[in-house]
Structure formats: structure tokens, C-alpha cells
Amino acid sequence: SPINPTGDIMQKKPYILITNDDGIEAPGLFALYQAICNFAEVVIIAPASEQSGVGAGISLRNPLQIQSVIWPTNTAAWKVTGTPADCVRLGLHTILERTPDLILSGINRGSNAGRTVLYSGTVGAVIEGTMKNVPGIAFSSVNYKNPNYEQFKEFVQPIASQCLTQPLPKGTLLNVNFPNTEKIQGIKLAHQGMGYWMENPEQRLHPEGHEYYWLGGKWSTYEEDEGSDVYLLEKGYVTAVPIHINELTDKALLLERKQPFEHFVNSKPTLTEL
């Protein structure tokens, strides 16, 4: 580490990539930048337009364009005509000259608690980095219409610092959600709840006369235990859930059914025998 004129060792600032799924112009992205810009050397690579609900999807059939964006304090920033995962892929492979110490995604409008992580583009960006051994944190707000970003910002840097000083295990990301409350009770490390945004199709009539559907979504409720993120968010806590994505195999089922499954299939039973 370099030494300043007083002889003290100066700590090198972490190099952090910021992205999101609400798009480069989203207020939540700017709030995330404001929360971290004095603590870290920041670069921004975000979608050119909103990409909510794309999960960890990537663009295989559309060309991608990269365009630099003017950002305060001359922070390096680009927008990409693709998904959040595309942004991370292009960032790590093409745009950036060195690998970030951490990827932060958000602050998303709308909850990504519970099983919503399977659909979330906010989380999808961090999944892409995690698969490339770059740790990451996804930040989301339960309040969709009017998130209180000023209230959330004070938590971002401490959470990022903790993940840098106590690194996440390989293949694990952190999914953080902020509650919809005037007074936050604190932060809890939690496990993933059961809730998620389920379909809520609305039939509509096109001006040309044919019917179509707007898939929409509504929050599904379950009986949640007291250690879940969904439960704790309702109690006014910020929640942080460690999610492991390197190994998705149901190992208990693998051990239990490997032999009977292989024996059954290899014996090639006919439909009349079933």
C-alpha cells in the first residue's frame, strides 16, 4: 500500500462495478453510486433500458451496443443495449481493463425477496459475476412506487465493506432487500422465504381488434417462518440472504434415487408395464 506524507499506510480503495436492471437512468442506480462513491473507485455499466424480470438471461439473437455515458465527477460509465447479465459479461470481458473487487446491483424498485430471485434481473447481474468468481451484492426495495433511497444509502457501504473484509464463499452472492417502513429496525442475515411475484394475466383488446394478454404480476403470500427474509421485511428489518449458485444439485435425491432410477430407465419398461 502507498504511504502518505505523514508516514501512515494508505488503504487502497476497492474497485467496484455498479449495475442494475431498471436502466442507466434509474434513480436507484444513482443512489447506489452516491452511497459508495466516496468509499470506492466506481465504474458503472448498466442497461440502456429497463430489463426487469429477465433474470440471468443473456442476449444471443440481438446485437449489443456499448455507449459511454456522462456521469458526475467523471466516473467511467457505459450503457449496454442488453440485459444486466450482458452488462457484466461485456464489462468483465471487453470494457474494463481489470477485474472489479465487487459487483453491486440495484437499488431495484420492488422486492426481490423470497423466490423472486429466480426472475430478478438485479440478482441476475450478480449471478453472472459470481459465476466468474467476482463477488456481488444485489440491493432491492420492497416499496416499488416511492422507494426511500436516502434511507437505504446508509446501509450500502457497511454491507459492501463487510463483504470485502469477510469475503463471501466462492459461488455465493448476497441478496439484500430494504423494507417499506418509516423506521428501519436494523439488519438481519436471513434465509430465503417462499414468496414470489406470480402471474396475474389481464386480457386486453388491441386497437386493431384482436385480444392479447398483459402478464402482470402479484405478490404470492405463504406462511413464512421467523427467519425468512419475507417475514423479517414485514417486521421492518433490512434482510441479507446468502445465496449459493455454484452447485444446484439436489444431492440427497441423487444419492437416494440414483440406483433405482438408472435401473428402471435402463430396463426400458413399456407404457403398458407402468
Side-chain angles (χ1 to χ4, degrees):
S1 300
I3 299 177
N4 68 16
T6 65
D8 298 325
I9 295 178
M10 299 172 61
Q11 295 298 321
K12 183 179 179 182
K13 285 187 174 182
Y15 183 49
I16 294 180
L17 168 61
I18 291 178
T19 188
N20 72 346
D21 74 354
D22 287 331
I24 189 72
E25 297 180 358
L29 181 73
F30 190 69
L32 188 57
Y33 160 77
Q34 288 179 315
I36 211 76
C37 62
N38 292 327
F39 162 74
E41 179 184 352
V42 176
V43 290
I44 298 163
I45 307 174
S49 60
E50 184 173 344
Q51 299 289 316
S52 297
V54 301
I58 57 175
S59 300
L60 297 177
R61 295 173 181 84
N62 298 312
L64 298 176
Q65 297 180 357
I66 303 169
Q67 183 177 345
S68 61
V69 175
I70 297 175
W71 203 267
T73 66
N74 294 320
T75 297
W78 294 267
K79 60 181 178 181
V80 174
T81 57
T83 68
D86 290 334
C87 292
V88 173
R89 284 187 161 213
L90 285 174
L92 298 181
H93 185 270
T94 303
I95 300 173
L96 304 179
E97 295 182 353
R98 56 192 172 104
T99 303
D101 298 308
L102 189 66
I103 295 174
L104 303 183
S105 183
I107 301 170
N108 185 68
R109 288 194 313 154
S111 173
N112 278 316
R115 291 179 288 173
T116 302
V117 294
L118 297 171
Y119 304 109
S120 168
T122 305
V123 178
V126 179
I127 288 175
E128 184 63 42
T130 302
M131 291 194 295
K132 292 177 168 56
N133 296 321
V134 182
I137 309 168
F139 293 94
S140 304
S141 164
V142 170
N143 189 326
Y144 176 85
K145 292 184 178 180
N146 188 31
N148 188 348
Y149 295 121
E150 289 300 317
Q151 183 188 44
F152 306 153
K153 286 192 296 185
E154 66 178 280
F155 291 92
V156 172
Q157 186 265 317
I159 293 172
S161 294
Q162 206 279 336
C163 289
L164 287 166
T165 56
Q166 298 290 324
L168 295 165
K170 184 177 180 181
T172 297
L173 60 91
L174 202 63
N175 183 36
V176 175
N177 280 270
F178 297 107
N180 182 17
T181 180
E182 292 183 2
K183 181 176 176 57
I184 291 177
Q185 299 301 312
I187 185 167
K188 295 283 190 180
L189 198 64
H191 69 76
Q192 178 182 300
M194 293 293 292
Y196 72 102
W197 291 102
M198 65 180 295
E199 67 282 355
N200 186 31
E202 179 183 340
Q203 188 177 27
R204 298 182 180 182
L205 184 65
H206 193 275
E208 295 181 357
H210 59 268
E211 295 178 345
Y212 68 97
Y213 286 86
W214 192 263
L215 190 57
K218 61 181 179 180
W219 183 255
S220 61
T221 57
Y222 293 82
E223 185 175 344
E224 303 278 358
D225 71 68
E226 296 182 2
S228 75
D229 56 355
V230 177
Y231 178 91
L232 290 166
L233 284 163
E234 291 178 352
K235 298 300 181 182
Y237 289 95
V238 179
T239 61
V241 177
I243 297 176
H244 188 69
I245 56 98
N246 263 21
E247 174 59 79
L248 304 180
T249 307
D250 185 336
K251 291 186 177 180
L253 185 68
L254 174 65
L255 292 173
E256 176 188 341
R257 298 192 185 179
K258 178 177 174 61
Q259 185 175 356
F261 176 88
E262 292 175 355
H263 174 75
F264 182 84
V265 174
N266 287 330
S267 67
K268 299 179 178 61
T270 64
L271 288 175
T272 57
E273 294 175 318
L274 299 178

